[in-house]
Amino acid sequence: MDLAFTPEEVAFREEARAWLLAHVPAAPLPSLETAEGFAAHRAWEAELATERWSAVDWPTEYGGRDAGLVRWLLFEEEYYAAGAPGRVNQNGISLLAPTLFDHGTQEQRTRVLPPMARGEVVWAQAWSEPEAGSDLASLRSKAVRTDGGWLLSGQKTWSSRAAFADRAFGLFRSDPDAPKPHQGLTYLMFDLRAPGVTVRPIARLDGKPAFAELFLDEVFVPDADVIGEPGQGWRIAMAATGNERGLTLRSPGRYLAAANRLHALWREQGSPGGTKARVADALIGARAYQLFTWTAASRFLDGESLGPESSLNKVFWSEYDIALTETALDLLGAEGESADTDWSERYVFALAGPLYAGTNEIQRDIIAERLLGLPKGRR
Amino acid sequence: MRLVLDREQRAFADSLEALLTGADTPSVVREWSRGEHGSGRALWVRLAAAGVFALAAPEEYDGVGVRPVELAVAFMALGRHAVPGPLVETVTAAVLLPTPDLVKRLVSGEDMATVAYDSPYALDGDAADLRLVLTPDGLHRATGHGPVRPSLDPARRLTALAPDELLTATPPIEQALLLARLTTAAQALGVGLALLDRTVCYVKQRTQFGAPIGVFQAVKHQLADAKIALEFAGPLVYAAALTLDPADVAAAKVTACEAAYATARTALQLHGAIGYTAEYDLSLWLTKARALRTAWGSPEQCRDTVLSGDRRW
């Protein structure tokens, strides 16, 4: 057991730190939930990609640095410590890319990943439907066989970033006669500007068009954009949600950086006693999350699979994020009500955490049933 | 970076677990609570033979050098089995004492030690062979002890000590206090894990409304929260053992103790009235979770340590 990093890892960390110091924009970019901000963040992704910092853990042939899990975690710490912008292509990089590495074809990886790394194609997630959220297997949007591909019809909703994104990935019912709801689903990628697609942005709590609903009317998708075998979509998608809740969606770096900023804010405000315990707990929570992730990474590198343990992460980071940003708003007092501070943007974003990537109620059921062995019940 | 136990550490944990599982610790705890120390001392000698106290002493004093990770492993097992006695205090004394002969008696399990620091009471002064008091002047021996006062945890017997003979004016206080706090955190984590295990078993067996109560979401979600809190405390305890950085140790102490205490509250709620009785074994862990919360550093003191100093996270 040790906490030491190898000389190569330390050198990688220092190289990342130096590059970020020289390149991170001096002023924060506008909110990526706006058209202007989206464009600015896209340009930042392109700049990251010039020296292959946009997806450091990918193989070099797709624009990465083949960095592996530990160096990726170190990069993420440096990235957020440097105050670098949020990642507009998070859905693509943390959800679609791992799925393509595990289940895609060589042709798909070569075609999809390099433009993703450069921010030229930004991906949206098309999972939820009006009547299929936490009960995702009940989804109804369908894929019907046609010459050389599939025709997609139906409605998707709450698609993050879809208001401005280029393409989307999601599950569709390709066999309505399958014996169980999670069978007969196919995982597909499609173009948000294809004929038959209507994108209707939805304003989130603060009015910004953060996500969208998608209306699909016989949208053609070629066979080349099916991921894995038709009918196997559920299994493939579940592997991706494990990634989403687990290691890759929320690296500890952002919380360490945010907690340190909160600590600095608390000191600037004269170290008020009323928020002392919450500030200390924010620091401790960030450290706990970092160390929990390192433990998971150590086990992963030993060849263990993480499985339902990613549900522990998901509940932790989503509730932690709200507690942290609430504390900052309380410390700011009257300024905390102002909607155009960095902390208020973070707060609104944090509020969604317990809702998406599988609600926290579903995660707690998974923890109770699959990690503690309690009997299954009706959800 | 490899934040998981290695094979030897896992083997040590397994061997202690086997020793303690066979030791019928609940009856040992109940005797100890009545001031009958015989079965507790017998178990103590076996723990010493397994190497527990050698982990806090230098080799020339019959120890193996200070091994904080192994101490954390050992104290998690001791907490899991609710082992009574001045365990943390004996480890602390082994670090503080300048005299080889006294330390060797602690390492072998012949003697138990207790230490009073920043508190009117020392733990188990009636059972301890060596009673120590830390003051600003240094480390003192105390000859006798005041009357035994009950703790909220019946297995913890509190005694006042008066400083007497000065043993050293320059004991390694900081290192000793860090180890005291670390081992208390590990012990609390073990207590919390035992409370969770026992409650999970109980809610699978106890039926109401025609089903085991573990089927209900209201029950599941409380246990899921306890699981999350304990799982995130574990890496903090191990990292604190690796760095012995005051902020890491304080973070581990407050997090492990709060997780154990919250789990105790959940365990009591989900057991219902049977959990509220002294005769049911759950009580042995419930009361300890409360007592360890303030031992060797209250939540507030630990949070202050995290907020001050040159933390490097």
Side-chain angles (χ1 to χ4, degrees), chain A residues 138-303:
Chain A
S138 69
L139 62 85
R140 293 180 187 172
S141 289
K142 60 188 181 181
V144 176
R145 201 85 185 89
T146 188
D147 268 358
W150 301 80
L151 293 173
L152 309 184
S153 297
Q155 184 183 352
K156 295 283 181 180
T157 192
W158 320 129
S159 288
S160 301
R161 318 258 155 87
F164 308 112
D166 307 295
R167 304 199 77 202
F169 53 92
L171 285 174
F172 292 84
R173 191 163 298 286
S174 53
D175 179 4
D177 302 322
K180 286 188 176 166
H182 58 273
Q183 294 172 355
L185 298 173
T186 296
Y187 199 144
L188 297 131
M189 302 179 275
F190 59 98
D191 197 326
L192 286 169
R193 295 181 190 117
V197 179
T198 306
V199 177
R200 190 183 77 83
I202 303 171
R204 66 176 190 182
L205 285 179
D206 62 356
K208 290 173 184 155
F211 48 174
E213 54 188 342
L214 311 175
F215 299 92
L216 308 170
D217 180 14
E218 302 207 325
V219 178
F220 177 74
V221 173
D223 283 325
D225 280 345
V226 174
I227 304 172
E229 292 297 311
Q232 295 297 309
W234 182 258
R235 190 175 56 82
I236 297 167
M238 287 307 103
T241 61
N243 286 318
E244 180 179 28
R245 292 169 201 148
L247 288 179
T248 55
L249 183 65
R250 287 289 179 273
S251 65
R254 73 163 70 196
Y255 300 121
L256 281 166
N260 284 325
R261 266 172 220 142
L262 177 71
H263 189 199
L265 174 67
W266 180 72
R267 285 182 162 163
E268 281 162 26
Q269 305 273 354
S271 306
T275 42
K276 187 171 85 173
R278 290 159 66 194
V279 173
D281 287 348
L283 288 168
I284 294 168
R287 177 68 163 164
Y289 189 59
Q290 176 193 46
L291 295 165
F292 182 87
T293 304
W294 286 357
T295 303
S298 301
R299 291 175 42 205
F300 186 77
L301 295 172
D302 282 351

Side-chain angles (χ1 to χ4, degrees), chain A residues 351-366:
Chain A
L351 283 180
L355 316 176
Y356 65 80
T359 61
N360 283 9
E361 286 79 6
I362 294 291
Q363 304 311 319
R364 288 187 167 95
D365 282 351
I366 293 172

Side-chain angles (χ1 to χ4, degrees), chain A residues 320-342:
Chain A
Y320 172 85
D321 207 5
I322 293 175
L324 172 96
T325 50
E326 271 179 349
T327 306
L329 294 191
D330 287 352
L331 269 170
L332 288 168
E335 278 300 308
E337 192 192 328
S338 167
D340 58 2
T341 68
D342 179 47

Side-chain angles (χ1 to χ4, degrees), chain A residues 120-131:
Chain A
E120 290 162 15
V121 176
V122 175
W123 289 83
Q125 188 187 4
W127 300 76
S128 298
E129 298 188 2
E131 294 186 48

